[in-house]
């Protein structure tokens, strides 16, 4: 098993790395109805790609103009090779943002270019600080049929100024995200590189039918809160063939924060994550939570690779969160240099304010892991539920974890959890009894987005 799985991991990493290069010569994808009828370049609206002059007005003018024509066969804005400095801007419906080879959209480092916006209703406040938050770099609300693609152009958040101010506690408001779409549907993001976000990178929130395919996300591994992709209270999300290096979780599935998420009551569900390659030395390859108060269910993670990453598929919750995490199916993990293979946390303590309900306990059940190979592991499992609210229905099968030279003597630490295991090495904790059969995985395919993405050329 070990030799075969290592080869699979090497192949997966190679494919992920190749995808970054192949994307540069791959044609863009179009919407379900085909390619856009109206196409314009940012230069037609006064854009200058010298990396110095601001293009904020040019992007605003371009989107406003193309939005008037997008209802008639769709519209595309092409960003050619060059460095296009701009403040935050919004997208529109039936619209493609196309980044040509060598195109770099650079986020302004002048904080005055980032207006304040209202906090998300499912969070009640900014994630970093109380009150409003800085706008997101690329944003949109109540949109349909939006594509961000190209020939592997780059969207660069130039986040160092934000990270420095965050560490120095000089920010009064929460940092914006590199891309946030709200209340939108039929979204495709492909063949683009995202670099140095001020905080979270991609944040589809209250969205349905989202496909994120073949993208690269890069941030220094010590950058604060630079999550890769965070589906939040969103349904039918497919994330595939992505390569992420992050200072936080490569992917974090969320659904609102404490009482605000409970009241908003919109779960994240029907999510497929496959062929991901993640590097994140201090965080998870895939996290479920910790903001999960609206619920998370039907998450499927298949054939994913983590290298030098703290943990694989981690569940994060705590008293006051409420909500649920259930029906999680993980199959086929190749893990290389890990602190923990399995990590569940029931004591996550961050709260939006003092009005969180201590009686709001999360339900965590139906968590399945199968076909896992890990090498250079410090500890196999750290599973910590909540006293009087145990995590139940855990199943772990067909797992080999090869230990690092400095591995801990105690390989499993389990409290307030219940479950079963089958064919797991090292030997699991007694709280996880013998199953005698593999863990469950849904037989029916999770259908998200069009079966085949039409190709077009601008």
């Amino acid at each position: 098993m070990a030799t075969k799985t290592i080869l699979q991991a090497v192949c997966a990493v190679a494919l992920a790395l190749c995808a970054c290069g192949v994307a540069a010569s791959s044609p863009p994808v179009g919407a379900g109805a085909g390619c856009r009828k109206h196409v314009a370049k940012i230069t037609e609206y006064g854009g200058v790609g010298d990396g110095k002059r601001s293009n904020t007005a040019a992007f605003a003018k371009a989107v406003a103009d193309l939005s008037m024509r997008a209802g008639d066969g769709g519209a595309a804005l092409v960003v050619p090779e060059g460095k296009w400095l701009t403040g935050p801007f919004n997208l529109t419906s039936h619209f493609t943002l196309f980044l040509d080879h060598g195109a770099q959209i650079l986020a302004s480092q002048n904080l005055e270019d980032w207006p304040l916006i209202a906090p998300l209703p499912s969070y009640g406040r900014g994630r970093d600080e109380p009150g409003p938050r800085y706008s997101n770099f690329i944003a949109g609300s109540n949109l349909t049929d939006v594509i961000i693609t190209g020939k592997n152009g780059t969207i660069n958040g130039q986040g160092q100024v934000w990270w420095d101010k965050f560490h120095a506690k000089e920010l009064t408001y929460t940092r914006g995200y590199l891309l946030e779409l709200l209340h939108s549907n039929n979204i495709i993001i492909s063949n683009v590189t995202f670099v140095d976000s001020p905080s979270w990178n991609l944040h589809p929130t209250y969205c349905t039918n989202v496909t994120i395919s073949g993208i690269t996300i890069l941030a220094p591994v010590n950058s604060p809160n630079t999550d890769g992709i965070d589906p939040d209270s969103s349904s039918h999300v497919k994330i595939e063939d992505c390569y992420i290096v992050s200072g936080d979780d490569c992917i974090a599935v969320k659904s609102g924060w404490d009482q605000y998420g409970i009241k908003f009551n919109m779960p994240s569900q029907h999510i497929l994550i496959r062929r991901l390659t993640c590097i994140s030395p201090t965080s998870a390859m895939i996290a479920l939570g910790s903001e999960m108060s609206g619920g998370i269910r039907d998450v499927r993670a298949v054939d994913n690779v983590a290298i030098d990453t703290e943990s694989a598929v981690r569940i994060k919750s705590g008293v006051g969160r409420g909500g649920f995490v259930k029906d999680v199916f993980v199959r086929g993990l190749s893990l290389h240099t890990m602190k923990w293979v399995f990590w569940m946390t029931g004591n996550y303590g961050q709260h939006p304010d003092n009005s969180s309900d201590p009686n709001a306990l999360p339900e965590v059940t139906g968590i399945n892991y199968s076909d896992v190979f890990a090498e250079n592991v410090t500890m196999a499992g750290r599973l910590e539920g909540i006293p009087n609210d145990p995590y139940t229905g855990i199943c772990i099968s067909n797992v080999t974890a090869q230990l690092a030279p400095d591995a801990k003597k105690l390989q499993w630490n389990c409290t307030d959890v219940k479950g079963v295991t089958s064919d797991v090495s090292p030997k699991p904790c007694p709280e996880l009894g013998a199953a005698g059969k593999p863990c469950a995985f849904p037989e029916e395919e999770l259908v998200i987005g069009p079966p085949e993405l039409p190709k077009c050329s601008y």
Side-chain angles (χ1 to χ4, degrees):
M1 172 185 172
T3 302
K4 180 179 179 182
T5 314
I6 290 174
L7 289 173
Q8 290 174 336
V10 172
C11 290
V13 174
L15 285 171
L17 293 173
C18 287
C20 301
V22 169
S25 59
S26 299
V29 296
C35 301
R36 307 305 192 187
K37 180 178 178 181
H38 306 280
V39 181
K41 291 184 177 181
I42 189 64
T43 51
E44 298 176 37
Y45 300 92
V48 179
D50 61 2
K52 299 178 181 179
R53 279 173 281 189
S54 174
N55 293 282
T56 304
F59 275 97
K61 185 177 179 181
V63 175
D65 177 59
L66 291 171
S67 68
M68 301 295 292
R69 294 184 273 166
D72 175 29
L77 176 63
V78 177
V79 181
E81 181 178 0
K83 296 181 178 181
W84 308 89
L85 179 67
T86 178
F89 63 94
N90 292 325
L91 305 180
T92 189
S93 293
H94 309 295
F95 179 81
T96 295
L97 177 64
F98 181 85
L99 283 75
D100 213 339
H101 179 62
Q104 298 183 53
I105 300 178
L106 305 179
S108 170
Q109 295 179 292
N110 183 354
L111 271 60
E112 294 182 359
D113 290 339
W114 299 66
L116 295 179
I117 60 174
L120 294 168
S122 55
Y123 282 72
R125 49 160 278 183
R127 190 60 182 84
D128 297 339
E129 301 289 345
R133 54 194 181 124
Y134 285 105
S135 64
N136 305 291
F137 181 51
I138 300 177
S141 183
N142 295 289
L143 305 182
T144 186
D145 179 20
V146 174
I147 300 172
I148 301 174
T149 189
K151 295 181 178 178
N152 207 31
T154 299
I155 298 173
N156 189 336
Q158 302 201 108
Q160 188 68 55
V161 63
W162 295 95
W163 307 334
D164 291 345
K165 289 182 177 295
F166 176 79
H167 285 305
K169 301 186 183 302
E170 295 177 353
L171 292 173
T172 305
Y173 306 105
T174 294
R175 293 162 289 163
Y177 307 137
L178 203 52
L179 170 67
E180 181 179 84
L181 299 177
L182 305 177
H183 301 288
S184 299
N185 65 82
N186 296 331
I187 309 299
I188 297 173
I189 305 171
S190 69
N191 295 350
V192 176
T193 296
F194 296 85
V195 176
D196 291 351
S197 175
S199 183
W200 302 349
N201 278 269
L202 275 59
H203 191 215
T205 306
Y206 321 141
C207 291
T208 59
N209 205 23
V210 178
T211 297
I212 302 173
S213 178
I215 69 165
T216 299
I217 296 176
L218 303 174
V221 295
N222 61 350
S223 55
N225 313 116
T226 50
D227 298 25
I229 305 170
D230 289 3
D232 202 332
S233 293
S234 291
S235 176
H236 292 88
V237 178
K238 177 168 62 179
I239 302 168
E240 61 183 5
D241 302 313
C242 295
Y243 179 81
I244 302 175
V245 181
S246 172
D248 210 309
D249 302 320
C250 286
I251 293 176
V253 181
K254 303 175 181 290
S255 65
W257 198 8
D258 283 17
Q259 69 272 26
Y260 302 104
I262 294 171
K263 181 179 180 180
F264 198 79
N265 192 29
M266 182 178 290
S268 279
Q269 58 187 346
H270 313 312
I271 295 174
L272 174 62
I273 304 167
R274 60 188 178 188
R275 300 186 299 273
L276 164 71
T277 299
C278 166
I279 299 174
S280 183
T282 60
S283 295
M285 174 175 64
I286 300 170
L288 306 179
S290 73
E291 306 91 332
M292 39 63 66
S293 302
I296 297 172
R297 64 178 163 225
D298 189 16
V299 177
R300 309 179 192 189
V302 183
D303 297 337
N304 296 301
V305 176
I307 304 166
D308 191 15
T309 296
E310 188 175 52
S311 60
V313 181
R314 181 186 178 191
I315 294 174
K316 302 191 289 188
S317 187
V319 173
R321 288 290 193 266
F324 55 83
V325 178
K326 58 186 179 182
D327 302 331
V328 176
F329 306 95
V330 180
R331 183 175 68 189
L333 296 180
S334 294
L335 311 174
H336 310 273
T337 306
M338 308 291 292
K339 189 172 183 179
W340 293 289
V341 177
F342 304 102
W343 192 11
M344 299 182 184
T345 306
N347 61 352
Y348 226 81
Q350 297 178 349
H351 301 286
D353 50 43
N354 294 325
S355 58
S356 295
D357 182 1
N359 295 315
L361 301 177
E363 177 190 8
V364 179
T365 188
I367 314 298
N368 300 272
Y369 302 91
S370 60
D371 304 342
V372 178
F373 171 78
E375 62 180 355
N376 203 28
V377 171
T378 302
M379 188 173 183
R382 179 181 173 184
L383 310 182
E384 302 165 333
I386 299 173
N388 301 315
D389 182 36
Y391 294 178
T392 63
I394 299 168
C395 181
I396 304 175
S397 68
N398 191 26
V399 175
T400 297
Q402 298 179 350
L403 304 184
D406 60 346
K408 292 184 178 295
K409 185 175 181 180
L410 179 66
Q411 277 298 301
W412 291 82
N413 183 16
C414 304
T415 56
D416 300 300
V417 296
K418 298 178 181 179
V420 295
T421 65
S422 172
D423 190 21
V424 174
S425 175
K427 184 179 178 180
C429 52
E431 288 83 354
L432 304 177
K437 61 180 181 179
C439 300
F441 195 92
E443 294 183 2
E444 71 279 5
E445 182 181 0
L446 187 56
V447 179
I448 301 170
E452 183 176 351
L453 302 179
K455 298 178 180 180
C456 55
S457 180
Y458 297 121

